[in-house]
Amino acid sequence: MNLNDPVISIKGIGEKSAAALNKAGVFNVSDLLHYFPRTYSVVPEAQKISELSLGARAVVKGRIMGGCSLFSSKGKSVLSFDVGDGTGKLKVYYFGMPYMKKSFPPGRTLILLGNVSFKGDVAVMAQPKVLSEDEYESTKGTLIPVYPETAGLKSATVLKAVKEIISISDRLKDYLPETVINKETLVSLSKAFYDIHFPASREELYAARKRLAFDELFLFIARIQMLKSSTEKEENSFKIDYGQADGVVSGFISKLPYELTGAQLKAINDIKKDMTGEGVAKRLVQGDVGSGKTVVAFAAALMAVSAGYQAAIMAPTEVLAMQHYNEILELTEKYGLPFKTGILTGSVGKADKRRCKELLSDGSLNLVIGTHALLEEDVLFNELALVVTDEQHRFGVAQRRTLSKKGGTPHTVVMSATPIPRTLGLILYGDMDVSLIDELPAKRLERKNAVVDIDYRETFYKFLVKHIREEQVQAYIICPMVEASESEELGMAGDLANVTDYTETLREKLPGDIRISMLHGRMKPAEKNEIMKDFSEHKTDVLVSTTVVEVGVNVPNATIMLVENAERFGLSQLHQLRGRVGRGDKQAYCVFMTGTKGDVSKNTQKRLNILKESNDGFKIAEEDLKQRGPGDFFGLRQSGLPYFKIADIYTDAEMVGRVKAVLQDMTDDGQGGLKALETALRESGNLSYSEFHNIYL
Ligand code: ADP
Ligand code: MG
């Protein structure tokens, strides 16, 4: 077996599994090694039924009492039986597997692993995993990897495949110099890859994670430095007359229905100075969610377009690109702005795409809004003078560069709401000037936040209906999953709210005049756009969604947000999410609901309370880290940065400094420094590392 063998050649992986793996970006053995667990589950010691507590993952040993009944509910078949162990009774359910009935005869002894919930006083396990005595004894207390699941790919499938190939980790050669490995007390690459999948203890897991995070940061920073050393400060070849820029922008600002904040004005002014100055503009506009970055982007585009040049605005999602496009069209019409605007995204039809490209290359379009589709090779401009990248942290560095290479050297303005620790910020944006939008529009009322458990749900629904009816506002309800996860078979996902079932239940539950729609990432782009458009035009009242609305979405009339299973999200992510409400001048409400009750949720609530106390993205990230402690880094995506699979810019902020120092040493030692490293990397056994980073650089 070799690292670049396709996954189909792995024993036990058939065509269906291979296709599912491919879809998740896993094509060969090396990719599979890099498909890191999302978290680890431990099989706990068996517990007495009388001692089970709500929300816990537990093992119960007992006998089936009475018969196993089979009935159907909401079109799904349900198997149900009781298990007793002398201390109490546990109710067990299996859904959609009627054929299992014969496996559960009365009197059979079972070892069940699952999440505990309660129906009144009776403990319940839905879809618990049945363990054999051997399985239980051999897995008790060990860390079992749980892999990220996507449509059609189950964690169990990945686990089976990884088991088949893990011995290949022995053959990985280290490319880091031994001095570095010793100095930084890193484990070897082989050990790290073995242990990240099959750690014998928590200590080994942490050591493995440390090594892999170090490598990720190391290679990332190394590549950025290589890229940066080749770019020099360039001349402004799209110079704009100051008086003219000033005139059109003031005209635009005076027509806006609101006063710009001082920080917005300053950012616009900074860009004006850049574009009318000697050097080409390279500016980062950093401002928290809702601080009003979009209008800054539009003002910048207006300057370029009024001077007869073209501008492009790139957004990370279709939904966001569409939103900007519609907003521009509206402004153009309302204020007679000189924009002829096009849109270029993956879901734009072939003919329209071709037309848009023609108009861009002959210069008849002044402005184009788009997604990654703008980066395609055949997108040519007539005179592209400005590239604005919105939510820049969602793009890779090289993507930003690709677009700015499209003819001449256009001015670049990037916008980001992610607070990036200073050390990393310097690496990512070291060559850029920064405008901070550190002020929120004045008329905003402070958002009201609440942290609650599931007992509050009914109260929330009443609140929701009342507000929708009386104030004609809209609401988001965020669920962590798209549909009931297959993991439930393993008793792992428990009762995580999923968009599909939730929407159905909510439609039954809320009165008929409340219009509910749903949105998630697995829908076709065109469908997503449609749903988002209906919501923004207030054709629907409640949008049940996954985190696809996390970035940039702006529907100011939506003032209420409920996040289900809030414990499943990192605080920074929750902060971005709640930025979707409180974007107008009406009072906004954000409710974070934990999926558990009692003691289990106390710790989570403490963590979530940070969100109540602060509105500062940086502080939130910092506090979250403090409360979770450095050992607790799995499962909670913090920043949403696409660059890293395992490193976290907050948790590992300190490591960034050390990585930089090591790189500096290597560059200084005169042996061709980084070039030598690249060679060593290539020779180290075909790791997909460098490829992985190429995707983002
Ligand atoms: P973000 O910085 O998150 O991208 P947006 O640019 O989407 O924020 O702005 C959020 C909302 O605030 C929008 O509805 C926008 O029209 C509005 N807005 C922007 N600037 C101001 C302002 N100075 N006063 C009032 N509302 C503003
Ligand atoms: Mg935005």
Side-chain angles (χ1 to χ4, degrees):
M1 173 126 315
N2 285 307
L3 283 162
N4 49 14
D5 286 351
V7 286
I8 188 89
S9 64
I10 299 169
K11 204 177 130 207
I13 295 295
E15 248 162 61
K16 216 172 130 206
S17 302
L21 281 163
N22 288 174
K23 230 177 149 189
V26 178
F27 297 94
N28 59 29
V29 171
S30 172
D31 297 337
L32 191 56
L33 266 185
H34 286 79
Y35 198 73
F36 301 136
R38 175 174 67 75
T39 183
Y40 301 80
S41 71
V42 186
V43 175
E45 293 273 346
Q47 244 180 322
K48 294 204 174 83
I49 292 175
S50 61
E51 288 167 4
L52 292 175
S53 60
L54 181 76
R57 201 171 125 75
V59 168
V60 164
K61 265 189 195 185
R63 287 159 65 101
I64 298 179
M65 308 194 302
C68 173
S69 61
L70 175 62
F71 54 96
S72 102
S73 159
K74 284 194 206 161
K76 265 189 189 174
S77 79
V78 184
L79 270 180
S80 161
F81 56 86
D82 294 340
V83 167
D85 67 353
T87 74
K89 188 173 89 174
L90 173 75
K91 245 193 175 344
V92 179
Y93 293 104
Y94 288 95
F95 306 108
M97 17 173 73
Y99 48 87
M100 292 285 284
K101 187 167 194 274
K102 56 183 180 304
S103 319
F104 301 119
R108 183 183 161 191
T109 300
L110 289 175
I111 305 177
L112 298 170
L113 166 66
N115 289 336
V116 180
S117 58
F118 279 87
K119 266 214 170 110
D121 284 341
V122 184
V124 175
M125 273 189 189
Q127 314 278 92
K129 184 173 175 163
V130 179
L131 300 176
S132 69
E133 187 72 37
D134 275 358
E135 242 178 313
Y136 170 61
E137 287 304 327
S138 64
T139 54
K140 195 170 56 180
T142 56
L143 293 161
I144 299 167
V146 180
Y147 294 93
E149 300 198 326
T150 58
L153 182 61
K154 292 187 208 169
S155 176
T157 311
V158 182
L159 178 58
K160 211 168 76 190
V162 174
K163 272 188 182 151
E164 284 296 324
I165 58 116
I166 191 64
S167 63
I168 206 166
S169 60
D170 278 353
R171 282 199 255 146
L172 298 176
K173 266 197 250 154
D174 229 306
Y175 61 90
L176 282 179
E178 226 173 86
T179 45
V180 173
I181 289 179
N182 292 337
K183 195 168 153 216
E184 299 296 323
T185 56
L186 301 172
V187 297
S188 73
L189 208 55
S190 292
K191 186 164 167 51
F193 272 99
Y194 188 92
D195 290 352
I196 201 70
H197 292 286
F198 303 113
S201 66
R202 283 191 176 267
E203 288 66 39
E204 287 191 308
L205 173 59
Y206 295 157
R209 192 220 162 255
K210 178 181 164 187
R211 168 70 209 252
L212 296 172
F214 186 93
D215 283 29
E216 246 185 11
L217 288 169
F218 182 86
L219 294 165
F220 179 73
I221 296 170
R223 298 222 42 130
I224 288 203
Q225 293 192 344
M226 285 180 211
L227 275 175
K228 290 234 160 118
S229 59
S230 63
T231 52
E232 283 155 32
K233 185 86 185 166
E234 277 159 289
E235 210 179 297
N236 182 358
S237 42
F238 298 103
K239 211 160 166 181
I240 293 165
D241 177 70
Y242 188 90
Q244 197 211 349
D246 199 42
V248 291
V249 167
S250 324
F252 171 60
I253 291 174
S254 70
K255 289 178 198 152
L256 288 172
Y258 45 73
E259 291 269 312
L260 289 183
T261 63
Q264 284 172 313
L265 284 172
K266 165 127 193 348
I268 293 174
N269 224 12
D270 287 343
I271 297 169
K272 195 191 308 162
K273 274 194 211 139
D274 292 341
M275 302 214 294
T276 56
E278 293 305 317
V280 67
K282 281 188 177 184
R283 184 164 293 277
L284 165 67
V285 177
Q286 183 152 47
D288 213 344
V289 277
S291 60
K293 295 183 291 295
T294 314
V295 69
V296 174
F298 291 168
L302 183 60
M303 288 185 244
V305 170
S306 306
Y309 300 125
Q310 289 173 302
I313 298 179
M314 187 160 76
T317 64
E318 291 247 356
V319 164
L320 197 50
M322 265 330 266
Q323 179 183 295
H324 288 334
Y325 178 63
N326 290 325
E327 211 175 325
I328 277 279
L329 289 187
E330 212 185 297
L331 288 176
T332 308
E333 203 170 300
K334 208 155 132 199
Y335 303 146
L337 300 182
F339 293 133
K340 267 198 226 79
T341 310
I343 174 121
L344 209 55
T345 67
S347 68
V348 170
K350 258 199 181 127
D352 286 340
K353 232 186 218 165
R354 195 176 331 113
R355 182 94 191 107
C356 180
K357 286 175 192 171
E358 273 167 26
L359 296 177
L360 276 176
S361 69
D362 73 14
S364 9
L365 279 182
N366 319 103
L367 176 62
V368 65
I369 318 264
T371 53
H372 297 74
L374 283 177
L375 300 171
E376 284 162 21
E377 249 168 62
D378 59 348
V379 180
L380 300 170
F381 291 85
N382 185 35
E383 234 179 344
L384 180 65
L386 169 71
V387 176
V388 181
T389 319
D390 192 18
E391 304 288 345
Q392 134 68 25
H393 55 280
R394 295 280 164 153
F395 291 98
V397 182
Q399 291 179 332
R400 186 173 101 209
R401 276 159 207 272
T402 315
L403 193 53
S404 47
K405 268 188 212 135
K406 288 190 181 281
T409 304
H411 302 289
T412 47
V413 173
V414 307
M415 316 234 155
S416 177
T418 300
I420 292 188
R422 219 183 92 82
T423 36
L424 191 65
L426 279 175
I427 292 160
L428 283 171
Y429 304 119
D431 57 340
M432 307 199 111
D433 302 308
V434 180
S435 298
L436 272 183
I437 305 193
D438 49 5
E439 218 179 317
L440 288 182
K443 263 171 79 191
R444 296 273 162 81
L445 294 173
E446 206 160 303
R447 202 184 296 116
K448 293 204 167 128
N449 300 285
V451 178
V452 299
D453 66 28
I454 43 184
D455 282 347
Y456 187 77
R457 207 180 268 137
E458 295 304 319
T459 318
F460 173 82
Y461 289 157
K462 284 198 195 107
F463 170 90
L464 181 70
V465 172
K466 182 169 181 288
H467 276 257
I468 290 176
R469 284 185 175 161
E470 289 176 7
E471 300 181 28
Q472 286 78 49
V473 294
Q474 292 161 274
Y476 298 98
I477 296 182
I478 308 296
C479 300
M481 315 285 269
V482 175
E483 53 197 36
S485 165
E486 321 235 301
S487 316
E488 278 180 36
E489 273 174 52
L490 305 167
M492 288 191 185
D495 292 327
L496 285 183
N498 73 80
V499 170
T500 319
D501 291 344
Y502 199 102
T503 308
E504 201 178 301
T505 315
L506 201 65
R507 279 184 183 143
E508 279 166 25
K509 194 146 200 146
L510 299 189
D513 57 315
I514 308 291
R515 299 160 301 175
I516 301 164
S517 61
M518 69 171 189
L519 182 74
H520 58 72
R522 284 192 208 159
M523 292 174 161
K524 296 229 159 64
E527 194 184 354
K528 273 193 273 190
N529 287 337
E530 196 62 29
I531 288 164
M532 208 52 233
K533 190 156 170 268
D534 284 348
F535 188 63
S536 69
E537 291 171 358
H538 202 166
K539 288 183 183 149
T540 52
D541 304 301
V542 179
L543 184 65
V544 181
S545 171
T546 54
T547 54
V548 287
V549 294
E550 181 188 353
V551 229
V553 166
N554 184 42
V555 181
N557 191 52
T559 59
I560 299 172
M561 174 175 278
L562 167 68
V563 183
E564 290 277 353
N565 292 108
E567 74 278 3
R568 286 284 299 224
F569 301 99
L571 291 190
S572 300
Q573 196 181 7
L574 289 174
H575 178 62
Q576 289 280 334
L577 272 171
R578 75 170 162 188
R580 298 311 119 220
V581 296
R583 301 172 83 80
D585 42 24
K586 282 190 194 146
Q587 177 64 54
Y589 303 88
C590 193
V591 178
F592 302 108
M593 190 175 288
T594 57
T596 50
K597 288 204 294 187
D599 283 349
V600 190
S601 74
K602 286 227 174 79
N603 271 339
T604 326
Q605 298 215 358
K606 195 170 155 225
R607 202 167 66 80
L608 293 172
N609 273 323
I610 298 171
L611 288 168
K612 273 170 70 176
E613 280 144 29
S614 179
N615 240 327
D616 175 336
F618 255 119
K619 252 208 206 105
I620 287 166
E622 230 169 68
E623 277 298 314
D624 192 15
L625 183 58
K626 259 192 238 160
Q627 292 224 0
R628 280 189 298 145
D632 179 18
F633 25 57
F634 291 101
L636 295 175
R637 200 169 68 102
Q638 271 303 330
S639 56
L641 285 188
Y643 315 121
F644 308 116
K645 280 185 177 176
I646 202 160
D648 181 285
I649 59 165
Y650 300 115
T651 319
D652 301 313
E654 187 243 354
M655 199 186 259
V656 171
R658 292 212 311 282
V659 164
K660 268 183 83 177
V662 168
L663 268 168
Q664 193 58 50
D665 286 349
M666 290 177 80
T667 321
D668 290 347
D669 81 355
Q671 297 173 21
L674 296 179
K675 282 273 170 277
L677 174 72
E678 228 187 351
T679 316
L681 242 182
R682 223 174 287 125
E683 289 168 355
S684 71
N686 207 355
L687 272 187
S688 64
Y689 257 139
S690 41
E691 277 129 66
F692 163 62
H693 280 277
N694 270 332
I695 297 171
Y696 295 110
L697 284 173

